Amino acid sequence: MMATLGPLGVFDSGIGGLSIVREIRRQLPTADILYVADQAHVPYGPRPLEQVRAFSEGITRFLLDRGAPLIVVACNTASAAALVRLRGIFPAVPFVGMEPAVKPAAETSRTGVVGVLATPATFQGELFASVVERFAQGIRLVNRTAPGLVECIEAGDLDGPEPRRLLETALEPILAEGADTLVLACTHYPFVIPLIEDIVGPGVRVIDPSPAIARQTERMLVSLGVPSKSHPGTLRMATSGNPARLAKMSSSLTGETARCEALRWQDGRLGLAEPA
Ligand code: DGL
């Protein structure tokens, strides 16, 4: 017997994956989505890869229990740390993961210098090494992290003096090397694109991968034969942090209000928190 088809599962350490959700909603307005934010553990970026793998596995199990036909790992850090492991543990489950958009950057850069902004864990993973090997031949990559920026974005500070200072510090060496293209390889960063563009100026193309990820999600749903509906899809959320806060952030970042449930980690498993 076929299991009931649940919502598309999408997850991130926090609100970053909402940049992907926003784009999926634009391109696939009839898809039902369940978004999980692991805000008890955000940021993932400075954590050991093994720990990020364990969190990603716990969240995936939760989404599969809810009937997700497809999981979008809307987090570069979790994709870098855990995608290979997840595909090994759940061989029948289709995953869409984030891969730093070095390919389109390398194809269009005129100076041959490309900046990549990501978390430390994303640069450590084998995924990044393979992206560099496949797509960055003849290109000089300037890889930078922006410690503290994810925390600013989580706190809702998208344009204040602190994120500006952190971005200026991260971007200065990229500009100094002559980059004309900047890859945003963390799903939190699209929310500070206006600030980034203000710092880098019109001579640098900023690549936000979220439209491409939404297109890939659509292709995958079509190939899986997931039927599309004629009425608007639902958007639900769940967080291991504060549900009221996530609901508020989500409505300001995506323009949509969503019901948000509280989650709790217990012995490595993620489940609904007991009602208070
Ligand atoms: N949004 C994430 C990413 O794409 C995670 C950032 C973090 O938790 O450090 O990498």
Side-chain angles (χ1 to χ4, degrees):
M1 201 179 77
M2 207 173 135
T4 326
L5 220 52
L8 193 63
V10 184
F11 79 86
D12 180 44
S13 59
I15 58 171
L18 293 176
S19 63
I20 304 295
V21 166
R22 184 171 64 176
E23 208 46 53
I24 295 177
R25 297 290 281 168
R26 258 183 220 146
Q27 293 185 34
L28 291 165
T30 65
D32 293 333
I33 297 175
L34 173 58
Y35 181 75
V36 168
D38 187 13
Q39 290 173 300
H41 296 135
V42 69
Y44 277 5
R47 292 177 182 275
L49 299 183
E50 199 47 47
Q51 199 176 44
V52 176
R53 284 183 194 120
F55 296 152
S56 302
E57 185 186 334
I59 299 168
T60 298
R61 286 190 193 284
F62 174 81
L63 289 168
L64 292 176
D65 284 349
R66 294 289 192 95
L70 166 69
I71 308 275
V72 181
V73 184
C75 175
N76 286 81
T77 306
S79 298
L83 207 51
V84 170
R85 170 82 64 91
L86 292 175
R87 288 187 167 130
I89 301 174
F90 309 102
V93 175
F95 287 94
V96 173
M98 305 294 306
E99 183 176 272
V102 169
K103 183 169 187 260
E107 283 166 358
T108 54
S109 170
R110 287 181 313 274
T111 60
V113 183
V114 169
V116 183
L117 207 53
T119 68
T122 295
F123 286 129
Q124 276 165 42
E126 281 167 25
L127 184 73
F128 188 68
S130 120
V131 165
V132 173
E133 198 183 300
R134 280 179 290 147
F135 306 122
Q137 301 300 329
I139 292 287
R140 189 142 52 92
L141 293 181
V142 187
N143 304 331
R144 300 289 299 179
T145 61
L149 184 59
V150 164
E151 290 90 323
C152 281
I153 296 169
E154 285 288 318
D157 184 1
L158 307 182
D159 54 7
E162 182 63 2
R164 176 175 287 274
R165 187 184 66 76
L166 297 172
L167 276 166
E168 279 171 352
T169 306
L171 295 170
E172 195 271 325
I174 292 176
L175 294 172
E177 294 279 336
D180 65 350
T181 311
L182 176 67
V183 175
L184 301 186
C186 168
T187 53
H188 279 75
Y189 299 164
F191 293 124
V192 288
I193 285 179
L195 187 51
I196 291 174
E197 287 183 336
D198 193 50
I199 294 168
V200 299
V204 175
R205 179 176 170 232
V206 177
I207 300 189
D208 168 8
S210 51
I213 296 298
R215 283 194 296 277
Q216 196 188 337
T217 304
E218 180 171 18
R219 277 195 298 273
M220 214 131 164
L221 286 175
V222 169
S223 76
L224 289 168
V226 174
S228 75
K229 303 176 301 178
S230 56
H231 50 277
T234 56
L235 176 60
R236 297 256 163 85
M237 302 201 179
T239 176
S240 55
N242 180 329
R245 236 190 94 66
L246 176 61
K248 204 166 144 228
M249 287 295 281
S250 142
S251 80
S252 80
L253 295 174
T254 69
E256 279 195 76
T257 44
R259 217 185 82 198
C260 191
E261 294 174 292
L263 301 175
R264 186 155 304 147
W265 285 99
Q266 205 161 20
D267 305 324
R269 288 189 73 88
L270 187 63
L272 287 179
E274 296 302 329

